[in-house]
Amino acid sequence: PKMGDAAGTPFLHCPAHPDAVNVRHVVFLHGASFTKEIWVKREIMQQFCAEPTVSATAVDTSFSNYTQLQAVLDNLELSSSVRKPVVLVTPSAGGMSVVDWMINGNVTVLRQYVSVWIPVAVGSLPSASDDQVASLVPMPVLAIHGDQDTTGGRMSERLEQLAGATVVELPGEHPVYRDSPVEFA
């Protein structure tokens, strides 16, 4: 992955193959204890970069509200790194911006930015009401958590019940992508 900057937001990026059609643009946020480099250190970015029809971007995040996420995704698109809507991977605190979007924003607009949401043990989910979580439908949601993370498991279960999420439990703790990187990818 190569370094880039989108209006002050540093990111790592690898484009899809130039001849690829039906490209999936995957954007990785990170949890509070990590940076965008976690995706490279655990070789998850490299697995996505090896796929010719995938454009993968890891962003350093320090935001928790949806307007900041919206601005970052707009700036990434302006830098020609991604095309919306993206597949958005949000571990732990990285998911606060999507939860804020459910609570304070327009979920119809969220769907113009995010085609698939992959929350990983998003602990801020309880701040959204049942109706707000259910408003994600029909957006596909893939909720992932570690088998040693009971809170993450409860968040995945709530997303399954209210938003029809597909749930995947992998071996590991709260940062399950660190513990099971191959399976995660």
Side-chain angles (χ1 to χ4, degrees):
K2 295 185 178 168
M3 290 290 296
D5 187 277
T9 301
F11 64 92
L12 296 168
H13 176 72
C14 55
H17 188 275
D19 298 329
V21 293
N22 299 323
V23 173
R24 299 288 279 194
H25 294 268
V26 181
V27 175
F28 294 91
L29 305 185
H30 59 78
S33 300
F34 300 100
T35 65
K36 65 186 176 307
E37 281 79 14
I38 187 66
W39 302 110
V40 174
K41 287 178 186 169
R42 302 309 297 156
E43 298 186 2
I44 293 169
M45 273 290 280
Q46 293 88 320
Q47 291 181 66
F48 279 83
C49 292
E51 294 294 325
T53 60
V54 173
S55 163
T57 307
V59 180
D60 266 338
T61 57
S62 60
F63 50 87
S64 60
N65 72 53
Y66 81 93
T67 57
Q68 291 167 313
L69 174 60
Q70 194 172 16
V72 165
L73 293 175
D74 284 339
N75 289 332
L76 285 170
E77 188 169 57
L78 287 171
S79 75
S80 300
S81 299
V82 303
R83 190 174 64 241
K84 300 179 303 223
V86 302
V87 175
L88 186 64
V89 181
T90 63
S92 191
M96 290 171 59
S97 53
V98 176
V99 173
D100 182 60
W101 208 322
M102 283 186 266
I103 296 169
N104 297 308
N106 181 328
V107 175
T108 301
V109 175
L110 171 63
R111 288 190 210 106
Q112 295 168 10
Y113 281 78
V114 179
S115 61
V116 177
W117 182 34
I118 304 177
V120 184
V122 174
S124 59
L125 192 64
S127 58
S129 71
D130 287 356
D131 286 345
Q132 289 165 335
V133 175
S135 73
L136 291 172
V137 176
M139 177 193 296
V141 177
L142 173 62
I144 302 174
H145 66 275
D147 62 359
Q148 298 167 41
D149 181 6
T150 55
T151 299
R154 285 196 305 272
M155 299 307 104
S156 292
E157 185 178 290
R158 185 165 188 235
L159 285 163
E160 180 181 39
Q161 291 172 349
L162 298 173
T166 300
V167 173
V168 175
E169 181 178 86
L170 298 173
E173 298 177 355
H174 184 66
V176 69
Y177 47 92
R178 181 196 65 198
D179 299 333
S180 296
V182 173
E183 298 87 346
F184 183 89

